[in-house]
Amino acid sequence: MVGSILSNCWAALIAFSLYFALALPNGTPISILTGSFIWALVLFLLTFIIRYLLYYVWQSEEMPVLDLIEQVEIAQQKSNEPNPSSEEMAAVVKQLLKDE
């Protein structure tokens, strides 16, 4: 996951503070504190989902690069040449573009 539990705590603190400040003028103390804690808990849990989604998006962006590297290495092993030729590299890139 992206980030740490500290980002969840900051999100909960911000949610608690905002709700508390906005509800203070027109509410009873018990309802203000209850609502503040509920919003803090909701945002604390929501931050886990956001962190997971960010991890998933960033992880999926890295995969085509790794696939390209693996395909180049396979092409090198098949041809037994120390460096791949430009034609082999072009074929791998064309293959990747077709897959997308």
Side-chain angles (χ1 to χ4, degrees), residues 24-77:
L24 191 59
N26 52 359
T28 62
I30 297 296
S31 67
I32 293 172
L33 286 175
T34 304
S36 296
F37 279 115
I38 289 172
W39 275 106
L41 179 66
V42 166
L43 213 60
F44 183 85
L45 297 175
L46 185 65
T47 308
F48 277 113
I49 296 169
I50 292 170
R51 286 174 47 210
Y52 177 75
L53 290 175
L54 285 174
Y55 169 76
Y56 180 75
V57 168
W58 287 344
Q59 186 70 16
S60 65
E61 288 177 356
E62 295 175 4
M63 295 307 289
V65 174
L66 295 176
D67 290 340
L68 175 64
I69 293 170
E70 290 172 0
Q71 289 181 2
V72 169
E73 289 175 354
I74 290 171
Q76 284 178 348
Q77 290 173 356

